[in-house]
Amino acid sequence: MEPQPTNVERLTKVMELQPLGKRHLFNNIVKVVSSLGAALGLAALLWILFTVIHKGVGALNWNFFTALPTPPGIEGGGLGSAILGTLIMTALAAVIGIPLGMLAGIYLAEFGRGTKVATAVRFVTNILIGVPSIIIGVFVYTLVVAPSHTFSGYAGAIALAVIMLPVVVRTTEDMLSLVPNALREAGLALGTPHWRVILNIVFRAARNGLLTGVLLAVARVSGETAPLLFTALNSNYWLHSLHEPLANLTVTIFSFAMSPYADWKSMAWGASLLITASVLVLTIIARLVVRGRSKARS
Amino acid sequence: MKSTRKTARRKGDSTFKGITFAAALAIPLLMAGILVELIRNSRLSLAEFGLGFLTSNVWNPVSGQFGALSSVFGTAMSTAIAMVIAVPLGLVIALFLVELASPRVSAFFGTAIELLAAIPSIIYGMWGLFIFAPFMANYVQPLFQKTLGFLPLFQGPPLGIGILTAGIILAFMILPYISSVTRDVFGMVPVVVKEAAYGIGATNWEVTRGVTLPYSLRGIVGAGFLGLGRALGETMAVTFVIGNNHHISASLFASGNSIASTLANEFTEASEPLYLSSLVELGLVLFLITVIFQAAAQGWLWSIRKKLAT
């Protein structure tokens, strides 16, 4: 086997090939290209945000937030029921997904540290995060919708909870792992039971990080569409019961955008603006919470 | 007295540990549950079509003939286009963030690009269908046809929607994943080694080429896998712009479908048991593909971390 060239050999070979002027020229080209790349990424973000604001802001009015959808061509319709439905399903998903995810995260970070079980669970968690959300929709359809013979708000909330769960597990574990061991040892040395050390000391120390994780998980599911298509479906009416199809913003965007009616499309843009703004605000708050903590520490 | 308190404490601890353990086990159980449910509900189609499901391009709900080929093809093509664009773009962005920009500028651009990942899929779909597809049809596709129109890849009417547009939008969606992981692995390159290279007069590019890239190659591959896993299963953005028909065409301008878009469009319409079962089997195929890629990515990144730690 030939010996691998060392870094210095590799580097000097790269450098010797060309005269200095050419090297600097090429370097500048690379600089321009990579700056353009970053600018392109920023441009894409701004283009999307501008579009959503430009097209969506006109649709927002009092009725948009309070009324039911109207047939095409009739003024005064709104997405009140869809906004309510999205809020309810996201909240219900959070109530299921966050405690379960935090408990699993506690196991990984506190009790299972270094064990094979924890490694395996962590591995599966990371894979579950990557499972497409539409597959979760199919799964919940077969598990909940098909046996109960009806699309329902419950099914939608369960699908969102399944998507949320692994995200919460991972951030909980990450955040608890950042807490210095000395804190745990100090608590245990005082004779505090381990579970109280975790809930009263470690959790308090990791509070901001955990809050960030929760906000990001909520932000992620509140914009989900695919898992709701065959679980919650959609509805044109106010919520009667969670055992029925439930109106929600994202599926409404999908069906209104695909319709031929200008006023429905405009409503879809209004809903897009609402969803985008909520998700981005949640994400930015989550980032500020983390930044606040790191500043307080330094 | 003391001993009862001690046992009570032990009991509290073991109960709590048991609860957290059960919660942790819920995750592998969920994963197994998804696999079992998908197989169980696709058994009709599995029995009817066998392996031919993957190689047949017939998708006819009326005659009850179902094959996955066009959906698999569309998924593969749109993902490939996304990777061809997003990997180099993610690399140059990471290079900009780590080597070129000042910390302030780097933080600003880094946040902006990561916010791309926060925008919901359906918003990409809206923007893609109403803004980006017309832009493609009016400017980008005619340009391709003028310059590269002799290739079968760029023939056919420039409608805006189609596999190419879906792939480009997917590229923007996975870009943040690739650039942020790449930025992190670039950041793991020992500063001393980079400074040594700068010290002997190397330019930014030479340091990148000679030091940073060799050091982080494995990490970049891991980042690519993560992006790939994302792109394979993206649903709403693709559903809006891919055109949704079960044809396979050599042209990137043609409309097609992907596994995810077929599911999104047809699942609630499937009234026949065999139709529904075929759709679930499509879901099973997508599930298996993404799990394999995600597992490969995780294993790969894990082995790098282990290597760096030793």
Side-chain angles (χ1 to χ4, degrees), chain B residues 158-301:
Chain B
L159 296 174
I161 54 173
I163 287 186
L164 181 64
T165 306
I168 294 176
I169 291 174
L170 277 179
F172 281 111
M173 299 183 73
I174 62 172
L175 182 63
Y177 295 92
I178 292 178
S179 69
S180 69
V181 177
T182 308
R183 180 183 61 182
D184 292 348
V185 290
F186 276 6
M188 280 199 270
V189 178
V191 181
V192 197
V193 186
K194 279 202 284 194
E195 281 174 354
Y198 280 120
I200 58 171
T203 60
N204 294 112
W205 166 244
E206 284 157 359
V207 173
T208 306
R209 175 75 190 74
V211 179
T212 314
L213 280 181
Y215 253 102
S216 33
L217 192 63
R218 293 165 61 90
I220 295 167
V221 173
F225 270 120
L226 282 183
L228 188 64
R230 287 263 142 216
L232 286 169
E234 255 319 320
T235 308
M236 296 321 292
V238 174
T239 307
F240 270 79
V241 298
I242 202 164
N244 300 314
N245 72 46
H246 291 271
H247 288 292
I248 293 179
S249 164
S251 170
L252 298 180
F253 293 174
S255 57
N257 61 356
S258 74
I259 298 179
S261 77
T262 304
L263 286 173
N265 276 312
E266 302 184 19
F267 203 86
T268 44
E269 292 167 11
S271 41
E272 297 294 310
L274 184 62
Y275 191 4
L276 193 66
S277 171
S278 301
L279 285 168
V280 177
E281 191 179 348
L282 264 188
L284 178 66
V285 171
L286 179 60
F287 176 74
L288 292 176
I289 297 174
T290 47
V291 165
I292 288 167
F293 275 109
Q294 294 285 342
Q298 296 303 330
W300 183 272
L301 287 171

Side-chain angles (χ1 to χ4, degrees), chain B residues 23-283:
Chain B
L25 281 191
I27 292 172
L29 276 178
L30 201 58
M31 197 73 165
I34 296 174
L35 182 64
V36 168
E37 278 295 302
L38 290 178
I39 293 175
R40 195 172 68 84
N41 286 281
S42 54
R43 61 188 187 282
L44 262 182
S45 143
L46 282 166
E48 178 81 22
F49 306 116
L51 275 178
F53 185 72
L54 291 174
T55 54
S56 155
N57 185 30
V58 184
W59 187 271
N60 190 341
V62 181
S63 68
Q65 291 292 311
F66 299 100
L69 196 62
S70 73
S71 300
V72 173
F73 174 81
T75 302
M77 281 305 280
S78 55
T79 304
I81 295 168
M83 293 297 286
V84 165
I85 298 169
V87 170
L89 196 56
L91 276 180
V92 298
I93 290 176
L95 182 65
F96 175 81
L97 296 177
V98 175
E99 301 285 342
L100 301 178
S102 68
R104 219 170 243 270
V105 175
S106 174
F108 173 73
F109 275 89
T111 310
I113 287 157
E114 276 171 27
L115 284 183
L116 276 176
I119 294 178
S121 178
I122 191 156
I123 305 300
Y124 280 95
M126 290 289 285
W127 174 76
L129 179 62
F130 293 111
I131 307 293
F132 192 66
F135 174 77
M136 287 290 290
N138 293 333
Y139 302 102
V140 182
Q141 292 181 339
L143 189 73
F144 271 120
Q145 280 188 322
K146 234 182 244 167
T147 51
L148 297 164
F150 56 90
L151 292 171
L153 283 179
F154 303 110
Q155 284 169 4
L159 296 174
I161 54 173
I163 287 186
L164 181 64
T165 306
I168 294 176
I169 291 174
L170 277 179
F172 281 111
M173 299 183 73
I174 62 172
L175 182 63
Y177 295 92
I178 292 178
S179 69
S180 69
V181 177
T182 308
R183 180 183 61 182
D184 292 348
V185 290
F186 276 6
M188 280 199 270
V189 178
V191 181
V192 197
V193 186
K194 279 202 284 194
E195 281 174 354
Y198 280 120
I200 58 171
T203 60
N204 294 112
W205 166 244
E206 284 157 359
V207 173
T208 306
R209 175 75 190 74
V211 179
T212 314
L213 280 181
Y215 253 102
S216 33
L217 192 63
R218 293 165 61 90
I220 295 167
V221 173
F225 270 120
L226 282 183
L228 188 64
R230 287 263 142 216
L232 286 169
E234 255 319 320
T235 308
M236 296 321 292
V238 174
T239 307
F240 270 79
V241 298
I242 202 164
N244 300 314
N245 72 46
H246 291 271
H247 288 292
I248 293 179
S249 164
S251 170
L252 298 180
F253 293 174
S255 57
N257 61 356
S258 74
I259 298 179
S261 77
T262 304
L263 286 173
N265 276 312
E266 302 184 19
F267 203 86
T268 44
E269 292 167 11
S271 41
E272 297 294 310
L274 184 62
Y275 191 4
L276 193 66
S277 171
S278 301
L279 285 168
V280 177
E281 191 179 348
L282 264 188

Side-chain angles (χ1 to χ4, degrees), chain A:
Chain A
M1 226 176 94
E2 262 181 59
Q4 290 278 313
T6 63
N7 281 326
V8 173
E9 281 165 3
R10 238 185 331 222
L11 188 61
T12 41
K13 216 167 106 194
V14 173
M15 289 166 64
E16 274 164 5
L17 282 173
Q18 311 258 314
L20 189 64
K22 249 189 168 174
R23 284 172 51 204
H24 278 294
L25 179 69
F26 193 72
N27 192 42
N28 286 332
I29 293 173
V30 170
K31 277 186 179 175
V32 170
V33 168
S34 74
S35 308
L36 283 179
L40 186 63
L42 181 66
L45 178 74
L46 294 179
W47 192 4
I48 295 170
L49 291 184
F50 171 78
T51 305
V52 170
I53 295 169
H54 174 71
K55 297 228 169 200
V57 85
L60 299 186
N61 53 38
W62 180 249
N63 279 340
F64 179 86
F65 291 95
T66 54
L68 283 176
T70 48
I74 295 174
E75 291 276 311
L79 298 177
S81 58
I83 294 170
L84 185 68
T86 291
L87 285 176
I88 288 174
M89 272 193 291
T90 308
L92 211 59
V95 167
I96 305 168
I98 290 172
L100 196 60
M102 284 197 165
L103 285 172
I106 290 174
Y107 180 79
L108 296 184
E110 303 288 331
F111 295 113
R113 239 193 257 188
T115 63
K116 281 200 176 134
V117 179
T119 311
V121 170
R122 191 175 301 122
F123 186 72
V124 177
T125 305
N126 283 333
I127 293 176
L128 192 56
I129 289 180
V131 170
S133 54
I134 190 141
I135 301 292
I136 308 291
V138 174
F139 168 64
V140 175
Y141 176 88
T142 64
L143 200 69
V144 182
V145 176
S148 67
H149 302 290
T150 174
F151 297 100
S152 65
Y154 282 125
I158 291 170
L160 294 182
V162 172
I163 291 165
M164 214 176 207
L165 179 68
V167 182
V168 177
V169 174
R170 193 162 77 178
T171 46
T172 304
E173 190 202 353
D174 288 349
M175 294 306 152
L176 296 187
S177 306
L178 288 177
V179 175
N181 258 335
L183 272 181
R184 295 186 182 86
E185 285 157 6
L188 290 171
L190 290 172
T192 323
H194 196 172
W195 67 275
R196 296 207 54 173
V197 170
I198 293 168
L199 291 183
N200 291 9
I201 300 174
V202 180
F203 254 59
R204 184 165 295 187
R207 195 174 44 202
N208 285 353
L210 293 172
L211 181 61
T212 302
V214 167
L215 288 174
L216 289 178
V218 171
R220 182 171 166 191
V221 300
S222 59
E224 280 287 358
T225 315
L228 299 180
L229 288 172
F230 1 108
T231 53
L233 203 67
N234 201 355
S235 151
N236 285 327
Y237 306 102
W238 287 104
L239 165 84
H240 286 292
S241 132
L242 288 173
H243 290 290
E244 291 169 8
L246 184 57
N248 62 85
L249 277 174
T250 45
V251 180
T252 304
I253 296 176
F254 185 43
S255 51
F256 277 22
M258 294 300 177
S259 78
Y261 313 114
D263 51 344
W264 278 15
K265 279 185 184 162
S266 161
M267 294 265 263
W269 280 112
S272 300
L273 174 58
L274 188 59
I275 286 279
T276 311
S278 324
V279 170
L280 288 186
V281 165
L282 277 176
T283 310
I284 290 166
I285 291 176
R287 284 173 162 271
L288 291 179
V289 168
V290 171
R291 192 175 300 166
R293 186 187 60 160
S294 60
K295 255 190 195 151
R297 273 207 180 160
S298 59

